Amino acid sequence: MTDITTMKVNGTAIGKPASRVDGRLKVTGEARYAAEESLPGMAHGVLTGSPIAHGRIVRIDTSGALKLPGVLAIYTHENRGRLGEPPNDLMKGLIAESRLPLEDDEIHYAGQYVAMVVAETFEQARDAAARVKVHYEREEHAMTIEDATESYEPKQFMAEELQLARGDVAEALAKAAVSIDATYDTPCEHPNAMEPHASIAHWQDGTLTVRNATQFAYGDRTVLAGLFDLPPEKVRILAPFLGGMFGSKAATGGHTILAAVAARELQRPVKVILTREQVMTTVGYRSRTIQRFELGAKENGELTAMRHTTISQTSARDEFVEPCNITSRLLYKVPNYQGRHELRRVHTMLPSWMRGPGETPCQFAQESAMDELAVALKLDPIELRRRNDAEQNGHTGKPFSSKHLIECYDRGAERFGWYGRNPEPASMREGRLLLGMGMATATYPGYLMGASVSARLERTADGVRLLVRTAASDVGTGLYTVAAMTAAEVLALPFDRINVELGDSNLPFGAVAGGSNLTASVTPAVYQACAAIRSQLCVLAVSKGGPLAGEGGDCLDYAEGHVFLKDNPTRGVSYAELLDLAKREALDGQGHTDPVFGQNDRWAFQSFGAIFAEVTVDPTLHLVRLRRMTGVFDAGRIINPKTARSQMLGGMIFGAGMALLEEMVPDQAAGRFINADLGDYLVPVNADIPDIDVSFINEPDLEFNPIGCRGLGELGNPGTASAIANAVYHATGKRIRALPISPEKLMSAASAGGAQREEKN
Ligand code: MOS
């Protein structure tokens, strides 16, 4: 546990915009990503996947491929060998699919691995993989929620109930003065990290080392230890740099497992890199969601009832729930609430974690429904949200530890110029273009998933150097930098005297880089570890025989690697001299943060934001162009305003892609996603993205952790798609309830009267 009282932040480093400490390594190519490593004797594995969606392998013929030059081995379900039982737990380690790769002759989705060829070179392996002959027997498949024949009600997601109610929603809906009943549809989407998934497995003296593109080094270690019947300390995962993940690298993937299988048998390192098509068909995706929102309100806009019914999809063999109602249950003050969820089984890879799982599609639907309610009530959308502001999580009854959502609305409205908007749909123009402005609420829970940090201050030839270590990975978001900033804040050292080591399972525990938790988990532990070193420096300075003997610890200050008297800075000593005087080569400190999932005994922890978007719509071509966006966020204390802004920019751009472009297209006839590449799956490019204005409330949440920072990564994403959709409605009077908002949908939509107001007596 961390001690709140000791973590005073003066802002000497925390809160000052800092460039990434690993930035130079990245732009010079010195930062090595998993696939970039090359080990002596390394062989190359290439996976090949099923072309059919459902059925079984009747026969697999590898004889021709095996004779090709350079081919070392071909693994199939006939020779993969036995694997042990892995855990599947967010805190310990996640397995991508519970049916292990090459487990049996069953096929559950197109792209499912059926063989891996290992050869001396990548080209040889790829060539041979194309010549593995597999004969299949097809069975009926279902690619979409509509085609699915199997359906059930899931119970929980991360210990949160998914079927829940409070009050009497049916009665409240029946009695509501104004009600909205609308159904929204969000498509399958892919996280599309730039860096493809890749693993290099290597066995030496009974120890398995994997250089892996992973969000969770400890998780992979635990999973692989379970699969290969090893004690965890016999597995080492290295993941110092990642090129993005967005959820898709949280669980140990089949390619990683097969690389380890082959490396063990061949007794040489094996590298496996997924192709873009394999990334898009095997590592998980965001499920499609169909969400019905039934809202009941009084004439003054106060919500009296909300029923939120979600249908999402899961795979034939596993369960993943896109948990939409974990957000609707708590965002607004509504006494009568019901959340329901239904899952349908389809023949695709298992849907999985993708940036703001649950929150992101929920916020599109919920914030569109709120906009429809505002239109029905002829009430300003911000005013409607203000009247329904919740001081507590309405489901648990716990008050939010620190909530500044109203300030987000106010500041956002001012920065964006919201009140210059004519609320009438299709009333604003710029030349021949229709102009629209929309807004929405963003939200994401505060999670801590735990971290242990060790710090060591070492005497070096030219002074001192501080090492800060934890196993957690910097997935590209800036963990190296915030860890260095926190250490600099406590020990008053410049960044060039601080080395942060991350992404190595031999280091102290670091949780999954997911749930936007790492900054909030790691920085208090860094603070605590460095504070332990500072206490030792203090003792060495003031104790008998020390250079500041007889002074009180309270009288000391620390700057530029020196400890000195606050009221007489000329009396001081460098850390290096202090170590020399004490005949010490190094001082050590440890820090630790315990997990907290969205609440503790007293408080609900939740971050908030307000997103504003302006669009133009061409009335002839029905093309939507984003003109500008404003986001104001309340995520506690901001450690690094520079990388925090980057996170929110990324999240809002992610939301813009969701609103206007992104969609995986499952084809029932083909039995696969037919746009499994970045040519046909559209993501925003620079020309799609306008100026984005990001600002932070920056109020520390000291109930959450002693630094007062909640997570950031996922907060920029939920809310953005609905702000854009609401802007499109405002521009055109057309309510598009199915994403993405494409020209053809706008073209065929009836204009105006989109809001469904039902008058009740
Ligand atoms: Mo993120 S979807 O929590 O890895």
Side-chain angles (χ1 to χ4, degrees), residues 7 26 96 134 159 178 239 318 327 363 417 450 455 501 530 561 573 666 709 712 737:
M7 297 203 193
K26 287 189 165 173
V134 190
V178 182
D318 269 311
T327 302
Q363 284 306 85
E501 290 179 27
C530 293
V573 59
C709 58
L712 260 184
R737 299 190 183 86

Side-chain angles (χ1 to χ4, degrees), residues 216-378:
F216 194 11
Y218 255 76
D220 286 337
R221 179 176 96 147
T222 316
V223 167
L224 292 169
L227 289 169
F228 292 97
D229 300 318
L230 295 167
E233 57 278 11
K234 291 279 187 190
V235 180
R236 184 179 189 188
I237 308 297
L238 296 168
F241 295 101
L242 273 86
M245 42 37 122
F246 316 113
S248 73
K249 294 170 184 164
T252 309
H255 63 287
T256 307
I257 297 166
L258 294 176
V261 165
R264 181 173 60 173
E265 190 178 292
L266 298 170
Q267 282 301 304
R268 37 194 297 194
V270 173
K271 177 193 283 192
V272 179
I273 308 174
L274 298 191
T275 63
R276 181 59 58 184
E277 185 179 356
Q278 286 170 338
V279 169
M280 293 192 81
T281 50
T282 67
V283 305
Y285 66 105
R286 192 193 306 283
S287 167
R288 180 172 164 212
T289 72
I290 299 173
Q291 298 177 69
R292 180 177 178 192
F293 266 97
E294 294 162 87
L295 303 180
K298 299 180 187 168
E299 281 291 351
N300 68 4
E302 281 175 34
L303 286 168
T304 53
M306 178 184 292
R307 184 188 279 138
H308 181 194
T309 310
T310 304
I311 306 173
S312 69
Q313 62 199 43
T314 188
S315 72
R317 284 284 293 261
D318 269 311
E319 176 173 302
F320 185 87
V321 188
E322 184 73 27
C324 295
N325 70 42
I326 59 174
T327 302
S328 59
R329 69 183 62 175
L330 61 75
L331 189 60
Y332 296 113
K333 187 168 65 187
V334 50
N336 302 289
Y337 173 89
Q338 185 179 22
R340 304 198 61 79
H341 200 115
E342 179 189 337
L343 273 179
R344 304 247 176 108
R345 291 203 183 275
V346 293
H347 293 98
T348 68
M349 60 182 157
L350 180 62
S352 187
W353 313 86
M354 177 166 156
R355 204 171 195 166
E359 292 84 7
T360 299
C362 173
Q363 284 306 85
F364 164 65
Q366 175 161 240
E367 291 299 283
S368 294
M370 287 296 279
D371 202 63
E372 300 203 37
L373 181 62
V375 170
L377 290 161
K378 296 196 183 351

Side-chain angles (χ1 to χ4, degrees), residues 406-418:
I406 300 291
E407 287 155 77
C408 294
Y409 295 142
D410 288 346
R411 190 195 292 181
E414 192 185 324
R415 292 178 76 102
F416 184 78
W418 175 256

